[in-house]
Amino acid sequence: MAGPMRIRAGAAGGNTTVRVLMSHPMESGLRKDSAGAVIPAKYITDVEASHNGKPVLKAAWSASVSQNPFLSFTFAGGAKGDKIVVTWTDNTGEKRTDEAAIA
């Protein structure tokens, strides 16, 4: 299982900027290990983020995203202490959800 996401969010000027570092191997299924065997595909396919329960981001990814991906996005609104929840799902069905408060 992948490790926790590092989520940082800050509000300024009526907008909130969220930065997320996801811990995930993001294997495309095209590489081989040292023995020549194909490493199975394992990559994030869906990312969703919400602010106080309201969706603010939905993204569909593919195998071409790098290992341990970094995501940054901005949305209108948000105040100090509001809750940001980020969830990803990968092609094997594994799912991870983490949350943080806006600083």
Side-chain angles (χ1 to χ4, degrees), residues 15-76:
N15 291 321
T16 299
T17 300
V18 180
R19 294 178 304 279
V20 184
L21 181 60
M22 302 172 198
S23 177
H24 196 281
M26 299 298 285
E27 283 295 342
S28 66
L30 302 174
R31 292 184 335 120
K32 295 182 180 181
D33 63 16
S34 59
V38 174
I39 300 170
K42 185 172 178 70
Y43 54 88
I44 294 172
T45 57
D46 298 295
V47 179
E48 296 181 6
S50 65
H51 164 245
N52 287 340
K54 178 182 172 189
V56 292
L57 172 82
K58 286 190 179 195
W61 286 0
S62 68
S64 62
V65 176
S66 69
Q67 179 180 7
N68 299 324
F70 174 77
L71 171 67
S72 179
F73 62 94
T74 302
F75 65 91

